Amino acid sequence: MSVALANVLETPGLDAYLDAVEERLESAVARYPGRAARAAAGALAGGKRLRPLLVYLASPVGAEPPASVGAAVELVHMATLVHDDLIDQAELRHGRATVWSVHGAKATIATGDYLFARAFAELARTGDVRATGVLAEAAVSLSRGEALQRRQTRDPETSIESYLERCALKTGKLFEAACRLAGGSGPFGLALGIAFQIADDILDCTGDAEDTGKVPGTDLREGTPTLPLILAAREDDVVWRALMGGSLDGALVRVARTSAIRQSRETADGYAQRARLILDGGLYRDELEALTYAVVDRKR
């Protein structure tokens, strides 16, 4: 855990809020007992709860959000991860076996759908129609981002602009929703989410499985053109061919020998800086600023 994130987690009242969110998550997935509920409970274990944390920090003075809002955002996030793991046939997530690897494809689809349904049930508890619309908009963006990723698969000529659009859709929009649901700045959340996703893609190239809980090089094996891979492919033909579906032998090592990791970190830092420039004098301004450093300076 980075020093910046450790400081954020000491925010007064945050522990109590996250505990309340955790209770809502457990209650939400247990509402209809069965295989999907059991699988969903397993999927929720071990998450960072970054999006509920953002909901709390983005709240204006005197407007602490209900735990159901933080739970709803996290449930949507986990639903997308469950479905992503099926699409990628990933066996590990946060160091734990994925729903797909344990329960199979059909149960995984049902589990992701169940998590989506429980997310909107949580928001329905608030009676806030606007909030439901905000989260629905984010969910549609997630689907669009996944479709865009499918179109970009094994295409090393994917433009950086198209990659950043995918980051905004698949990650940034849910960060944006977390802030908007709390009454905070959507543009801040969007920039923060893009920075987070770029850092995540860098970790896939440089991270250790013990730290990340995932097998490194997944994006290269799946042919997903992330920023470090796009940039590395421009410098190294071996990476180019591997990203197109060719031999992976030595390709990940060669990524590290290019300037791609450095350039990608600079881009992530740029989006984190963009997020900082949006901040005003809100209640948790210092904590939100620290979070912009934490999302790009991490090992998992």
Side-chain angles (χ1 to χ4, degrees), residues 9-149:
L9 293 177
E10 293 178 0
T11 303
L14 178 59
D15 279 346
Y17 179 73
L18 292 180
D19 285 345
V21 168
E22 210 65 34
E23 290 179 8
R24 289 301 328 146
L25 289 171
E26 292 177 9
S27 174
V29 299
R31 180 68 178 82
Y32 298 99
R35 188 176 184 183
R38 292 193 299 273
L44 284 168
K48 293 185 285 290
R49 306 298 187 252
L50 180 58
R51 290 149 192 84
L53 183 155
L54 187 56
V55 170
Y56 183 82
L57 295 180
S59 301
V61 177
E64 181 178 319
S68 54
V69 172
V73 173
E74 186 69 4
L75 286 164
V76 166
H77 170 57
M78 294 309 301
T80 63
L81 293 187
V82 167
H83 283 166
D84 283 353
D85 288 339
L86 170 60
I87 293 169
D88 299 337
Q89 299 201 338
E91 295 189 357
L92 291 176
R93 170 76 64 177
H94 302 310
R96 299 171 181 268
T98 60
V99 174
W100 168 77
S101 66
V102 174
H103 298 278
K106 291 182 179 179
T108 300
I109 294 170
T111 300
D113 291 348
Y114 180 70
L115 286 165
F116 272 120
R118 297 310 301 149
F120 285 96
E122 283 299 298
L123 272 193
R125 289 164 53 91
T126 69
D128 188 338
V129 176
R130 184 199 69 86
T132 304
V134 168
L135 193 60
E137 179 185 331
V140 170
S141 294
L142 291 164
S143 298
R144 291 175 57 211
E146 183 60 38
L148 181 58
Q149 181 170 309

Side-chain angles (χ1 to χ4, degrees), residues 143-276:
S143 298
R144 291 175 57 211
E146 183 60 38
L148 181 58
Q149 181 170 309
R150 293 302 105 193
R151 292 198 300 272
Q152 294 172 346
T153 298
R154 304 210 182 283
D155 181 9
E157 294 188 3
T158 298
S159 69
I160 293 174
E161 292 75 19
S162 185
Y163 162 79
L164 291 172
E165 179 187 4
R166 191 178 83 221
C167 289
L169 291 169
K170 287 200 67 175
T171 305
K173 284 295 185 178
L174 193 55
F175 276 63
E176 178 187 73
C179 290
R180 290 177 63 193
L181 289 169
S185 169
F188 168 83
L190 181 62
L192 183 73
I194 294 172
F196 177 91
Q197 185 58 58
I198 296 171
D200 208 54
D201 293 340
I202 294 170
L203 279 175
D204 187 72
C205 295
T206 64
D208 185 281
E210 290 187 8
D211 291 326
T212 64
K214 297 185 290 185
V215 179
T218 297
D219 291 328
L220 189 57
R221 286 191 298 276
E222 296 296 326
T224 302
T226 63
L227 183 58
L229 295 181
I230 293 168
L231 294 172
R234 293 177 178 181
E235 297 183 31
D236 192 307
D237 289 342
V238 170
V239 179
W240 179 283
R241 290 191 294 271
L243 193 52
M244 289 186 68
S247 173
L248 299 173
D249 290 346
L252 196 59
V253 173
R254 295 177 76 106
V255 172
R257 294 176 182 169
T258 70
S259 64
I261 301 300
R262 174 184 57 78
Q263 291 185 68
S264 297
R265 284 179 175 145
E266 289 172 354
T267 303
D269 287 340
Y271 274 95
Q273 172 67 8
R274 184 180 302 187
R276 287 192 287 276

